[in-house]
Each structure stands twice: as C-alpha cells, then as structure tokens.
Amino acid sequence: MSRITRRAMVSGLAGAALLAKAGRAQAAARIVVIGGGYGGATCARALKRLGLDVTLVEPSATYVSCPFSNAVIAGLRGIEGQEFTYDALKREGVRIAPLSAVGVDGQARIATLSDGTKLSYDRLVMAPGIDLRFDALPGYDAEAASIMPHAWKAGSQTVLLRDQLRAMPDGGVFVMAAPANPYRCPPGPYERASLIAHYFKTEKPRSKIIILDAKDAFSKQRLFQAAWAQLYPGMIEWVPLSSGGKVTAVDPKAMTLTTDFQTFKASVANVIPPQRAGTIAQAAGVADRTGWCPINPSTFESTLVPNVHVIGDAAIMGAIPRSAFAANGQGKACASVIAGLLAHEDASAPRLINTCYSLVAPDYGISIAGVYRPGTPSFVEIEGSGGTSPLDAPAETRRTEAGYAEGWFRTITTDVFG
Amino acid sequence: MMALRRVGAASAALALAGALAGTPASAQALPQPGAESCGGCHSTHGGAGAPMPSLHGLKAADITAAMLDYRSDRRQPTIMNRIAKGFSEDEIKAISNWLERQP
C-alpha cells in the first residue's frame, strides 16, 4: 500500500466505480446453464462468482465422474469415489433446477423444463455432454447395453461392466468395440483395456483382450502399445480399421461382435458406440448435421442460435479433445466471455489448455497436453506446444505421472464440486 | 450475500490493480486468458493439491521464472514444458500476475 500514490488511489476508486456500474448491469442478467458435468458445473460456479444470477438445470442430484471410472471397472477403486453433489454450488448461490431441459426457444430466449416450467434467460450455456447413438450400430440399442455395457457414461453401466468382469472365469475373452472419431475421451478405450489387462494379469492371467477399432490410430498410441508389450505381453490384441476392426453389428443374445471379415465371440463385451451432443442440443437446434454443436471459438456462442453458448463434449472445439480438463477450462473461459459481453466489453480471446493423464497400470501413468487458441473455423493447437510423455522415459517418470493423475482428479473435482 | 460481498471486494481490488497498471478496470477484473486452466491441476486458492504444487501464495516473479525455465527446457518437468511452450513471455507474466492476485 505504501507505494500507492494519492493519484493512483483516486483513479483506482474511479476504476472500482466503473466496475460496479458494469456489475449492476450484469446483476439483472439471468443465465441458465443446462447440464451439471465438468463443463456446466464449472461455468455455473464461475458465473455466480462474477455476481450473475445463475440457474443450473440438472436432473441428477449426484454427478458420477467418467474420469477415473476405468479404475472402478478394473476393481482399483469404488464407485463412491466417483460421486459428487451440487451442495457447494448451492451454498455459493447457484440455483439448481433438478429437472431435464426439454426445449429452448432461441428467439424468445426461454428454456422449457420437463415439468413445463419456463426459464427466461439473457444468455444460455449448453453443456449437455454426449448422447450414445443407439441407432448407429445394428443390434446395439438401449436394451443391448444391459448385456453389452458401453460404460461410457459413468454410473450403473460402470458397475455392470466391473461385475461382468469379476464374474468372468479365467481364460475368458473380453472384446471391446472402439468408435471412430470424434467421441468423448479419445484415450479412454485404451486406458480401459490397459487397466482390465492389469486386473486379468493379477486375477485371471489366462484371459485375453481384443479391441475391435473403427480407426487406424489413437491417442497416445505409441505409449500405450509400448507399455502393453512391456506389462501385458500377448494379452491385448488391437485390430485396427485397416485390418477389419470396425464392428458392423452385434448380437447380445449370442454375445458376438461382427466385423466385415469375422465374428468374435465374447465372454464379456464392451461396446462403445458412436456419439453425438446430448439430446437437448438437438432439440434446441444448436447441433448441426454431424450431431455436434458448431461455435464461434472466440465466444463459445453457437453459430446456429444466438445467445446460446455451447461448451464441453457437445461442442465442436477443433483440435481440442473432448476431456474433463478441457470442459473445466471452457466453463471458466465461457463465464468470463459472458461477463464481458454483458458489460459490453470485448473480452480477450480465450486461450485453452488440455491435460490428460491415462493409467496403463496403477503405478504407470502417461500424459498428453496441448495449448489452443481460436482459429478458423475452430480452435487450433499452438505450434511448438503440447505433445505426449516421452516414449523412452524411465519407470520413475511413469510412477510420477500416475501420482499426478490421481492428484489431478482430486484437484479438479475440488475445483468443480468441492 | 457473503459470497457476493467477497466478489465485490475482490473486484474492487482488481480494479485498483488495473488502474495502477494503466489498463481498463473491468478488463483487468477478468482473468488473463489461459490463467484459469492452471486450476485444473494446481490448487489456486490454498488447500489440497499434492503432489502438484499449489500456486496459492506464490510470487508472480517466481511463477514467471519457473515457466520461462520450462519453456526453454532449462528445467525438465514431466508436463509443464509442453504447456509453457504455448505462451509468450508477456502472456506468462500476465498469467503470473493474475495468479498472485488470487485471494
């Protein structure tokens, strides 16, 4: 304080007055956030902290985290550790509407909830996550998912897959169908296969894993494959698209997955189907023909419906992968953008980061990172930044990164829900 | 109301800092782009966060020095070198200043 001159003090107070004026204009503004996942819950909290009136539309009282759910499937942790409530958001003054949103009228700026309630908004944040497409793979519908779980939304599906693997006799075959891009959590299928391999190696060493893949390359591929050769030799077979890996039909009764060339019989099957933005995004008209939501990367505002911002897995973010870390950063950046728009300020262009850890074994972690700026039409990675863990790192580095993975989970869940 | 008052006080403090730096007050109140992503891994308000170091209470100059070392590979962390390379020196300084101001 001693270095602050009287003149600076006066201009500082003038600055504070200007901000208070902007704050009053903002105070009247109503923001509706649809979806209480990593993106939506983060954004709702950040908007509230900026002094805005925020309603979070989220039908579930408990959020079940997808990050670290692969460790639940492999029996390394309980599902309780994945569960978070909205109590902290409520304490900070975020209003929770415990219902689903069923429609958005972009002209009238009204969101309609499942009980008919209508919420007027000045700005709406759409963060509905993904929907699994039960119309994309012959034989795979919602009913089939009770026999061949997707476990790509955490909760009962996660527990079902874990229990099926527990019940499987040693010598069984676990078959996974991995989707083509884009989909939620690009390295997720391969982390899952890794941790299931760890479980098999420990408990059921004669068992096998087959990954039938609808693509020819995947995130952190060289790191995963090197680790598989080292930790689980001969246990994991990856069948890429070019070797006939794309699953074209499944039969839950027969427990078979069929490709163009072959039919695979599974003891336990995990079908991760194609995905699209959550249903409400389709109903609101913010999703395009791809099923995902195009946005202006400088503001996250939908290019299809004005005053609606789309963040997280539902949005088309260019080079940014669909991850919880990315959604968290987008939630905060989107809140800043909205506060700026309401104060009629040009907010600086967002700069986003992604950091994503995968566990190949409980003491073996690998990572990918990237830094992104708005480009045309969407986010581009900043040249020279980002990349994966080194291929030739010592075991100590893998142990350190496994510890960082768990630290990340604790920190981000505290940031969003704690 | 408690939360609102806290935000109000913080905003006034930021506005003051903005005025001192000669930049528009309300623009200063919003975080430097990219700064908020740090909180995805590092605690920025005290409390838990191990094994990643908490950034709460760190001096801007120390954060800047570490980031510039990561950026030029003078230090070999597991991941921060890959992230630091996505920012210019000026951006790193602005992010560090914002982090230092966090209550």
Side-chain angles (χ1 to χ4, degrees), chain A residues 98-116:
Chain A
L99 296 162
S100 301
V102 295
V104 173
D105 181 338
Q107 292 301 311
R109 296 195 204 174
I110 289 172
T112 304
L113 309 188
S114 52
D115 68 345

PDB file of all heavy atoms in Angstrom, chain A residues 98-116:
ATOM      1  N   PRO A  98     -33.806 -29.111 -10.527  1.00  0.00           N
ATOM      2  CA  PRO A  98     -33.496 -30.551 -10.589  1.00  0.00           C
ATOM      3  C   PRO A  98     -34.346 -31.292 -11.621  1.00  0.00           C
ATOM      4  O   PRO A  98     -35.015 -32.263 -11.308  1.00  0.00           O
ATOM      5  CB  PRO A  98     -33.789 -31.017  -9.160  1.00  0.00           C
ATOM      6  CG  PRO A  98     -34.862 -30.103  -8.685  1.00  0.00           C
ATOM      7  CD  PRO A  98     -34.674 -28.779  -9.391  1.00  0.00           C
ATOM      8  N   LEU A  99     -34.316 -30.808 -12.837  1.00  0.00           N
ATOM      9  CA  LEU A  99     -35.159 -31.348 -13.911  1.00  0.00           C
ATOM     10  C   LEU A  99     -34.349 -31.392 -15.205  1.00  0.00           C
ATOM     11  O   LEU A  99     -33.278 -30.800 -15.280  1.00  0.00           O
ATOM     12  CB  LEU A  99     -36.371 -30.423 -14.126  1.00  0.00           C
ATOM     13  CG  LEU A  99     -37.370 -30.294 -12.957  1.00  0.00           C
ATOM     14  CD1 LEU A  99     -38.228 -29.062 -13.148  1.00  0.00           C
ATOM     15  CD2 LEU A  99     -38.235 -31.552 -12.860  1.00  0.00           C
ATOM     16  N   SER A 100     -34.921 -32.052 -16.206  1.00  0.00           N
ATOM     17  CA  SER A 100     -34.295 -32.026 -17.533  1.00  0.00           C
ATOM     18  C   SER A 100     -34.809 -30.826 -18.303  1.00  0.00           C
ATOM     19  O   SER A 100     -35.956 -30.425 -18.138  1.00  0.00           O
ATOM     20  CB  SER A 100     -34.666 -33.284 -18.329  1.00  0.00           C
ATOM     21  OG  SER A 100     -34.246 -34.420 -17.645  1.00  0.00           O
ATOM     22  N   ALA A 101     -33.969 -30.279 -19.164  1.00  0.00           N
ATOM     23  CA  ALA A 101     -34.444 -29.281 -20.129  1.00  0.00           C
ATOM     24  C   ALA A 101     -34.956 -30.049 -21.342  1.00  0.00           C
ATOM     25  O   ALA A 101     -34.319 -31.006 -21.788  1.00  0.00           O
ATOM     26  CB  ALA A 101     -33.311 -28.349 -20.518  1.00  0.00           C
ATOM     27  N   VAL A 102     -36.134 -29.650 -21.836  1.00  0.00           N
ATOM     28  CA  VAL A 102     -36.715 -30.367 -22.979  1.00  0.00           C
ATOM     29  C   VAL A 102     -36.765 -29.508 -24.237  1.00  0.00           C
ATOM     30  O   VAL A 102     -36.986 -30.025 -25.334  1.00  0.00           O
ATOM     31  CB  VAL A 102     -38.126 -30.910 -22.653  1.00  0.00           C
ATOM     32  CG1 VAL A 102     -38.033 -31.977 -21.558  1.00  0.00           C
ATOM     33  CG2 VAL A 102     -39.080 -29.790 -22.234  1.00  0.00           C
ATOM     34  N   GLY A 103     -36.581 -28.193 -24.078  1.00  0.00           N
ATOM     35  CA  GLY A 103     -36.615 -27.345 -25.265  1.00  0.00           C
ATOM     36  C   GLY A 103     -36.006 -25.980 -24.982  1.00  0.00           C
ATOM     37  O   GLY A 103     -35.948 -25.552 -23.834  1.00  0.00           O
ATOM     38  N   VAL A 104     -35.530 -25.353 -26.047  1.00  0.00           N
ATOM     39  CA  VAL A 104     -35.010 -23.991 -25.933  1.00  0.00           C
ATOM     40  C   VAL A 104     -35.561 -23.199 -27.118  1.00  0.00           C
ATOM     41  O   VAL A 104     -35.435 -23.627 -28.263  1.00  0.00           O
ATOM     42  CB  VAL A 104     -33.463 -23.966 -25.959  1.00  0.00           C
ATOM     43  CG1 VAL A 104     -32.956 -22.533 -26.019  1.00  0.00           C
ATOM     44  CG2 VAL A 104     -32.884 -24.689 -24.753  1.00  0.00           C
ATOM     45  N   ASP A 105     -36.206 -22.077 -26.813  1.00  0.00           N
ATOM     46  CA  ASP A 105     -36.683 -21.167 -27.858  1.00  0.00           C
ATOM     47  C   ASP A 105     -35.684 -20.021 -27.947  1.00  0.00           C
ATOM     48  O   ASP A 105     -35.671 -19.126 -27.101  1.00  0.00           O
ATOM     49  CB  ASP A 105     -38.089 -20.658 -27.489  1.00  0.00           C
ATOM     50  CG  ASP A 105     -38.658 -19.729 -28.558  1.00  0.00           C
ATOM     51  OD1 ASP A 105     -37.857 -19.162 -29.341  1.00  0.00           O
ATOM     52  OD2 ASP A 105     -39.892 -19.573 -28.610  1.00  0.00           O
ATOM     53  N   GLY A 106     -34.831 -20.087 -28.969  1.00  0.00           N
ATOM     54  CA  GLY A 106     -33.745 -19.124 -29.109  1.00  0.00           C
ATOM     55  C   GLY A 106     -34.231 -17.721 -29.426  1.00  0.00           C
ATOM     56  O   GLY A 106     -33.552 -16.746 -29.097  1.00  0.00           O
ATOM     57  N   GLN A 107     -35.392 -17.601 -30.069  1.00  0.00           N
ATOM     58  CA  GLN A 107     -35.947 -16.288 -30.387  1.00  0.00           C
ATOM     59  C   GLN A 107     -36.489 -15.609 -29.130  1.00  0.00           C
ATOM     60  O   GLN A 107     -36.174 -14.465 -28.843  1.00  0.00           O
ATOM     61  CB  GLN A 107     -37.073 -16.407 -31.434  1.00  0.00           C
ATOM     62  CG  GLN A 107     -36.597 -16.831 -32.810  1.00  0.00           C
ATOM     63  CD  GLN A 107     -35.566 -15.868 -33.390  1.00  0.00           C
ATOM     64  OE1 GLN A 107     -35.765 -14.666 -33.394  1.00  0.00           O
ATOM     65  NE2 GLN A 107     -34.442 -16.402 -33.867  1.00  0.00           N
ATOM     66  N   ALA A 108     -37.314 -16.367 -28.384  1.00  0.00           N
ATOM     67  CA  ALA A 108     -37.927 -15.819 -27.160  1.00  0.00           C
ATOM     68  C   ALA A 108     -36.966 -15.856 -25.975  1.00  0.00           C
ATOM     69  O   ALA A 108     -37.239 -15.257 -24.942  1.00  0.00           O
ATOM     70  CB  ALA A 108     -39.196 -16.598 -26.826  1.00  0.00           C
ATOM     71  N   ARG A 109     -35.854 -16.563 -26.118  1.00  0.00           N
ATOM     72  CA  ARG A 109     -34.885 -16.769 -25.030  1.00  0.00           C
ATOM     73  C   ARG A 109     -35.548 -17.408 -23.813  1.00  0.00           C
ATOM     74  O   ARG A 109     -35.519 -16.863 -22.713  1.00  0.00           O
ATOM     75  CB  ARG A 109     -34.218 -15.449 -24.627  1.00  0.00           C
ATOM     76  CG  ARG A 109     -33.385 -14.862 -25.729  1.00  0.00           C
ATOM     77  CD  ARG A 109     -32.488 -13.796 -25.155  1.00  0.00           C
ATOM     78  NE  ARG A 109     -32.097 -12.847 -26.179  1.00  0.00           N
ATOM     79  CZ  ARG A 109     -31.406 -11.753 -25.930  1.00  0.00           C
ATOM     80  NH1 ARG A 109     -31.025 -11.475 -24.706  1.00  0.00           N
ATOM     81  NH2 ARG A 109     -31.065 -10.947 -26.911  1.00  0.00           N
ATOM     82  N   ILE A 110     -36.161 -18.555 -24.068  1.00  0.00           N
ATOM     83  CA  ILE A 110     -36.828 -19.296 -22.994  1.00  0.00           C
ATOM     84  C   ILE A 110     -36.405 -20.763 -23.077  1.00  0.00           C
ATOM     85  O   ILE A 110     -36.452 -21.367 -24.154  1.00  0.00           O
ATOM     86  CB  ILE A 110     -38.372 -19.188 -23.124  1.00  0.00           C
ATOM     87  CG1 ILE A 110     -38.820 -17.752 -22.770  1.00  0.00           C
ATOM     88  CG2 ILE A 110     -39.078 -20.203 -22.229  1.00  0.00           C
ATOM     89  CD1 ILE A 110     -40.281 -17.501 -23.057  1.00  0.00           C
ATOM     90  N   ALA A 111     -36.010 -21.308 -21.919  1.00  0.00           N
ATOM     91  CA  ALA A 111     -35.749 -22.738 -21.818  1.00  0.00           C
ATOM     92  C   ALA A 111     -36.924 -23.395 -21.122  1.00  0.00           C
ATOM     93  O   ALA A 111     -37.419 -22.874 -20.126  1.00  0.00           O
ATOM     94  CB  ALA A 111     -34.469 -22.989 -21.016  1.00  0.00           C
ATOM     95  N   THR A 112     -37.398 -24.514 -21.671  1.00  0.00           N
ATOM     96  CA  THR A 112     -38.531 -25.222 -21.069  1.00  0.00           C
ATOM     97  C   THR A 112     -38.032 -26.493 -20.393  1.00  0.00           C
ATOM     98  O   THR A 112     -37.234 -27.238 -20.970  1.00  0.00           O
ATOM     99  CB  THR A 112     -39.575 -25.576 -22.148  1.00  0.00           C
ATOM    100  OG1 THR A 112     -39.962 -24.371 -22.804  1.00  0.00           O
ATOM    101  CG2 THR A 112     -40.804 -26.239 -21.532  1.00  0.00           C
ATOM    102  N   LEU A 113     -38.493 -26.720 -19.164  1.00  0.00           N
ATOM    103  CA  LEU A 113     -38.075 -27.891 -18.395  1.00  0.00           C
ATOM    104  C   LEU A 113     -39.138 -29.001 -18.489  1.00  0.00           C
ATOM    105  O   LEU A 113     -40.251 -28.774 -18.968  1.00  0.00           O
ATOM    106  CB  LEU A 113     -37.838 -27.503 -16.934  1.00  0.00           C
ATOM    107  CG  LEU A 113     -36.919 -26.292 -16.722  1.00  0.00           C
ATOM    108  CD1 LEU A 113     -36.593 -26.114 -15.237  1.00  0.00           C
ATOM    109  CD2 LEU A 113     -35.621 -26.434 -17.530  1.00  0.00           C
ATOM    110  N   SER A 114     -38.782 -30.192 -17.991  1.00  0.00           N
ATOM    111  CA  SER A 114     -39.639 -31.368 -18.179  1.00  0.00           C
ATOM    112  C   SER A 114     -40.997 -31.228 -17.490  1.00  0.00           C
ATOM    113  O   SER A 114     -41.958 -31.878 -17.888  1.00  0.00           O
ATOM    114  CB  SER A 114     -38.920 -32.621 -17.678  1.00  0.00           C
ATOM    115  OG  SER A 114     -38.455 -32.415 -16.360  1.00  0.00           O
ATOM    116  N   ASP A 115     -41.130 -30.367 -16.476  1.00  0.00           N
ATOM    117  CA  ASP A 115     -42.441 -30.189 -15.827  1.00  0.00           C
ATOM    118  C   ASP A 115     -43.199 -28.994 -16.409  1.00  0.00           C
ATOM    119  O   ASP A 115     -44.228 -28.589 -15.873  1.00  0.00           O
ATOM    120  CB  ASP A 115     -42.260 -29.995 -14.313  1.00  0.00           C
ATOM    121  CG  ASP A 115     -41.585 -28.664 -13.979  1.00  0.00           C
ATOM    122  OD1 ASP A 115     -41.016 -28.032 -14.900  1.00  0.00           O
ATOM    123  OD2 ASP A 115     -41.621 -28.257 -12.806  1.00  0.00           O
ATOM    124  N   GLY A 116     -42.701 -28.438 -17.499  1.00  0.00           N
ATOM    125  CA  GLY A 116     -43.385 -27.323 -18.148  1.00  0.00           C
ATOM    126  C   GLY A 116     -42.892 -25.950 -17.705  1.00  0.00           C
ATOM    127  O   GLY A 116     -43.257 -24.942 -18.306  1.00  0.00           O
TER     128      GLY A 116
END
